[in-house]
Amino acid sequence: MTIPATGPAIILVEPQLGENIGMVARAMANFGLSELRLVNPRDGWPSEKARAAASRADHVIDAVTVFDDLASALADLNFVFATTARQRDGFKSVRGPVEAGRVLRTRHAMGQRTGILFGRERFGLYNDEVGLADEIVTFPVDPDFSSLNIAQAALLMSYEWMKSGLEDETKTNFSGPDMKPASKEELHGLFAYLEGALEARGYFRPAPKKPKMIDNLRAVLTRAGFAEPELKVLRGIISSLDRFSPAMPRGDGSPGDDPRRLPAAAARARKAEVVDRQPPDANGDDNDTPPLGGKGPDND
């Protein structure tokens, strides 16, 4: 089965490892490319190691074509970039990956067949192989460590190919939640609530510095540009901290049980004390429960 070209062909010259071929296929599939050509692969073809490393990019692996020499692999193409990290002698134009992606996209739109040429894992392309290409593309890498794995290089060029076809190069496949910005009234309500909680705990010390401390606090909260749901989260956090304290931490019951906060707690304590003083039942043994400090039934 022949898969129609959906972009530039990726040509690997004498690739050594099946795993690298598979990872190139995976990178291509990530960004919409499907035509992979191999020139004299060292370990032959097909390769189960390549298929395993392709991570389900089977359509790329199944469509691989193998050539005995580079000239044959390029014969039907109209324009080819050669990738290299080294400066070469000659008169070829040199472009970065962003510009190269746009050039490929323009030529593809004109109906031209294009390709991107990658060299061997150990030392890349020979000068005469680069000479068969139309232009050079090189990556802005650290000159002290400029060698890229062929799968990494293929990934970079495949990405630039896809990006060049987007109406907006900053477009993503999904986005964060669309949240309504908080109103000033809601933000000011948070200020008042937080400042009240801090005031109750003696945060604003010494007192003459309180205005400046409030200014700083509001500056921090204003800078973030909160949305409505985010303010609700903050209010919930502050409310929890305001209701619970080290003396009555969360998990020890409701804050209403803190006798320092609600007199109802004292009333419940008095009620429990009255129940404890109720006379024994008709059997005279108060349900066989011994009084505190007394003898149990087994001691009678």
Side-chain angles (χ1 to χ4, degrees):
M1 181 181 69
T2 302
I3 297 179
T6 56
I10 300 297
I11 305 106
L12 307 183
V13 178
E14 297 183 355
Q16 297 168 267
L17 299 175
E19 292 87 345
N20 280 339
I21 298 172
M23 288 188 286
V24 168
R26 179 178 183 177
M28 292 170 60
N30 285 149
F31 297 104
L33 297 179
S34 59
E35 187 177 0
L36 177 59
R37 303 182 180 189
L38 307 180
V39 178
N40 193 23
R42 185 190 68 179
D43 296 335
W45 193 261
S47 168
E48 288 305 313
K49 291 181 178 179
R51 185 175 295 277
S55 187
R56 299 191 302 278
D58 292 329
H59 64 289
V60 179
I61 296 295
D62 291 339
V64 164
T65 51
V66 180
F67 298 84
D68 293 330
D69 58 83
L70 178 57
S72 300
L74 304 181
D76 64 328
L77 303 180
N78 305 112
F79 181 88
V80 176
F81 271 116
T83 61
T84 180
R86 305 192 309 273
Q87 185 173 355
R88 306 283 181 147
D89 295 332
F91 304 98
K92 295 187 183 299
S93 298
V94 179
R95 302 181 189 270
V98 175
E99 187 180 11
R102 294 170 181 170
V103 168
L104 291 169
R105 180 69 62 174
T106 300
R107 289 182 175 275
H108 179 76
M110 295 168 59
Q112 297 184 19
R113 298 293 309 281
T114 61
I116 310 171
L117 184 59
F118 298 88
R120 304 154 187 83
E121 288 95 327
R122 288 195 300 114
F123 55 86
L125 296 166
Y126 291 118
N127 286 334
D128 63 325
E129 293 168 338
V130 174
L132 296 178
D134 297 278
E135 296 185 9
I136 289 172
V137 58
T138 190
F139 304 102
V141 295
D142 187 335
D144 293 330
F145 196 77
S146 59
S147 176
L148 286 176
N149 175 275
I150 56 172
Q152 295 171 325
L155 178 71
L156 289 173
M157 286 306 303
S158 299
Y159 168 72
E160 292 300 339
W161 160 257
M162 171 163 276
K163 191 176 71 172
S164 69
L166 299 176
E167 292 182 8
D168 179 0
E169 290 190 349
T170 64
K171 182 181 178 181
T172 55
N173 289 340
F174 59 91
S175 60
D178 184 14
M179 296 188 293
K180 179 182 177 182
S183 68
K184 294 303 180 185
E185 180 181 9
E186 291 168 324
L187 187 58
H188 295 164
L190 176 67
F191 292 163
Y193 189 63
L194 177 57
E195 290 161 14
L198 293 174
E199 180 71 46
R201 283 156 177 76
Y203 173 78
F204 299 111
R205 299 190 306 269
K209 290 188 176 182
K210 178 179 177 180
K212 180 60 177 176
M213 296 173 74
I214 288 178
D215 286 344
N216 291 340
L217 181 63
R218 294 188 176 191
V220 169
L221 294 175
T222 303
R223 181 182 300 179
F226 291 113
E228 279 185 5
E230 293 171 326
L231 283 192
K232 291 179 180 179
V233 170
L234 288 177
R235 288 194 69 119
I237 293 171
I238 297 167
S239 174
S240 178
L241 295 174
D242 191 34
R243 288 163 56 89
F244 293 91
S245 67
M248 182 61 62
R250 183 178 290 276
D252 282 2
S254 167
D257 294 333
D258 189 340
R260 297 173 304 169
R261 299 183 62 88
L262 293 176
R268 285 192 294 274
R270 289 194 297 271
K271 182 178 179 181
E273 184 179 352
V274 170
V275 172
D276 289 340
R277 293 175 179 174
Q278 291 296 320
D281 61 17
N283 296 326
D285 56 7
D286 195 18
N287 294 323
D288 295 333
T289 301
L292 291 177
K295 295 179 180 180
D298 294 338
N299 296 326
D300 289 341

